[in-house]
Amino acid sequence: MAPTPACFPRFSLQTRTGCNVFVVDKDVPPGYHEPMRLVLLVGSLLSVSYADWEVNRIVGQSESVAEAAAALLPAFHRRDDGWPRNGEKWAERIAEKEVLPGNVRHDLLIEKASVGKLIGPQGSKRRELTQRSGCEMYIVDDVPPPGATDEQRLCVLIGTPVQATARPRCAPDACSYAC
């Protein structure tokens, strides 16, 4: 149950989380009082967990519910050294996307030989993967990240938790190692 604001962003919430959101706003649910309304979330465990977190953030409910939902989300790996740093390829774009509310960053080591598979001719595969998942994908292909072998490169995925976990379905053979 949640006190839903009059301008509850149901459609943008569905788009961001991949979860179907239904708000029963005509009647107060039995045993509750104004302004409580029933919010029904339908989808995968991951999308419902993320939508639950978002709903509670929107309506200002306690963080304990959000923390419980966040515990169900997969772990995201981010390099501790902040690489790529300012001035290096993609660093500025990554930093801009990473600070947007609701976004997570997931860093993957990929084989240098797989870079072409992920980018495709003139970036067509990368655009397709981005469109399908909704997740931004940056491939730092000119040099290996610190601590990686010469045959490894960094792939940075940035998006909502649901978008960032779409990666295994998009390119399971190319993105196989978390940093």
Side-chain angles (χ1 to χ4, degrees), residues 15-91:
T15 303
R16 274 196 323 276
T17 64
C19 181
N20 289 310
V21 180
F22 303 93
V23 180
V24 181
D25 60 352
K26 294 199 188 310
D27 298 313
V28 176
Y32 290 88
H33 55 81
E34 285 290 343
M36 301 300 270
R37 294 296 183 264
L38 179 65
V39 177
L40 180 64
L41 306 173
V42 179
S44 69
L45 175 63
L46 183 63
S47 65
V48 167
S49 299
Y50 183 50
D52 181 56
W53 180 84
E54 285 280 352
V55 166
N56 285 292
R57 184 183 61 79
I58 291 166
V59 299
Q61 292 284 9
S62 77
E63 284 299 307
S64 62
V65 175
E67 289 169 4
L72 297 173
L73 295 172
F76 296 99
H77 303 279
R78 186 186 188 286
R79 293 184 60 86
D80 293 331
D81 60 7
W83 195 83
R85 291 191 173 88
N86 286 341
E88 295 174 331
K89 187 175 182 180
W90 301 115

Side-chain angles (χ1 to χ4, degrees), residues 9 18 25 39 46 52-53 62 81 95 105 108 110-111 113-114 116 133 135 143 166-167 170 177:
D25 60 352
V39 177
L46 183 63
D52 181 56
W53 180 84
S62 77
D81 60 7
R105 174 177 167 172
L108 300 163
I110 61 172
E111 293 298 323
S114 296
S133 69
C135 183
V143 295
R167 177 225 0 116
C170 291
Y177 321 98

